[in-house]
Amino acid sequence: MIIETEMTIETLKDLVGAGTKHFKKVEVTEYGGIHYFNFDEVIFEECILSLDFTGSSFRHAKFIHSNIKASMFDEANLSHSEFIDNSIDACTFKNAQIDGIVFLKNTQYSSENTIEDLKEMVGK
């Protein structure tokens, strides 16, 4: 587990590629894209990241108590992932796969979003 640090996009990719599966209180300090990358089973807990994850896979991944504002999950595989108590202002989920997703207590501009809101953002 990586705890309480800041990192670049490249460092995040390297750590996940090397098998790191749990990030707690980590901040990715730059904005950019990590397209079509495998984040399956990775846990982001109390993290701060604003990234373009278009086409990436997050099967069985978890976002818990994180600030993921302005992140893009368009066309991402979010099957069986968990999004619990996150700040999701300006996030996009267009055409994401959300089969079996757990989506609870996530807020966008101070309003709680439900699974129905997510389905609307996905375009289903």
Side-chain angles (χ1 to χ4, degrees), residues 74-89:
D74 300 342
E75 300 177 13
N77 185 343
L78 306 175
S79 300
H80 304 284
S81 63
E82 297 180 20
F83 283 71
I84 300 171
D85 195 26
N86 299 291
S87 222
I88 62 167
D89 300 11

Side-chain angles (χ1 to χ4, degrees), residues 44 49 53 58-66 68 71-73 76-88 91-93 96-98 100-107 113 115 118:
F44 295 97
L49 34 128
F53 293 113
F58 290 91
R59 291 178 302 132
H60 299 279
K62 297 179 182 182
F63 288 88
I64 303 166
H65 308 300
S66 291
I68 55 174
S71 289
M72 299 173 68
F73 295 93
N77 185 343
L78 306 175
S79 300
H80 304 284
S81 63
E82 297 180 20
F83 283 71
I84 300 171
D85 195 26
N86 299 291
S87 222
I88 62 167
C91 284
T92 61
F93 296 89
Q97 297 172 37
I98 58 169
I101 195 170
V102 175
F103 194 81
L104 300 170
K105 299 182 181 177
N106 298 293
T107 58
N113 280 195
I115 190 70
L118 176 64

